[in-house]
Amino acid sequence: MSRFLNVLRSWLVMVSVIAVGNTVQSFRDHSFLSEKLYTGTPEFVNGLQARTFGVWTLLSSIIRCACAIDIQNRTLYHITLWTFVLALGHFLSEAFIYKTAPLTIGVMAPLIVASFSIIGMLIGFQCFPETQEEVGARQKKRN
């Protein structure tokens, strides 16, 4: 396995652990979200919304940790990449479309993490060994 994929695995574990902390915070006290993320419209944040956010964050954390454990599983790798794309899309839409999350440090942090993770995972695709199907398809084209 390439050195880059090992670094990416460590990154995914770190991001997963932080996400578990955010999950716990979302379940403990929903004011966490209104004070750190959705500061544009804190009145929209309630216990139900906070718990939903917590479950979504926990699911993303589990997927990312599973990918770190089995990083050469292409399907899991794609799903993990999509967790970051969805997170980026969510926070960008909340910041620029719905205006519920102004660009504070609480919003910038997940935007930066998601962006760097997407870039890292796209680079990581180059480190995957070729599958038998890819080798066969390439050889067929040559013939």
Side-chain angles (χ1 to χ4, degrees):
M1 183 181 320
S2 77
R3 182 180 178 113
F4 185 82
L5 285 180
N6 281 328
V7 170
L8 186 58
R9 290 174 75 199
S10 299
W11 172 259
L12 290 172
V13 169
M14 181 189 72
V15 170
S16 294
V17 169
I18 292 169
V20 169
N22 288 338
T23 297
V24 170
Q25 198 78 15
S26 294
F27 279 94
R28 277 189 46 225
D29 180 16
H30 74 269
S31 67
F32 161 74
L33 291 178
S34 60
E35 293 170 3
K36 301 290 182 195
L37 292 176
Y38 305 106
T39 58
T41 53
E43 66 275 6
F44 287 174
V45 178
N46 59 38
L48 175 61
Q49 193 267 340
R51 291 186 300 275
T52 303
F53 183 86
V55 169
W56 170 58
T57 305
L58 181 61
L59 178 59
S60 294
S61 173
I62 291 167
I63 292 169
R64 293 166 185 170
C65 192
C67 184
I69 292 167
D70 187 13
I71 199 154
Q72 294 192 350
N73 181 328
R74 289 176 182 258
T75 302
L76 186 55
Y77 194 92
H78 283 96
I79 292 169
T80 303
L81 176 59
W82 275 104
T83 67
F84 290 114
V85 171
L86 289 172
L88 183 66
H90 168 75
F91 286 109
L92 286 174
S93 67
E94 293 298 333
F96 296 111
I97 296 172
Y98 302 112
K99 310 267 191 254
T100 58
L103 291 179
T104 62
I105 189 66
V107 174
M108 290 300 293
L111 287 174
I112 291 168
V113 168
S115 298
F116 278 107
S117 299
I118 291 167
I119 292 167
M121 293 195 77
L122 290 174
I123 292 169
F125 274 128
Q126 306 305 310
C127 302
F128 273 94
E130 284 187 309
T131 63
Q132 294 296 330
E133 294 85 26
E134 292 170 337
V135 171
R138 195 178 68 236
Q139 288 175 345
K140 265 188 171 178
K141 284 183 181 179
R142 287 184 187 165
N143 296 335

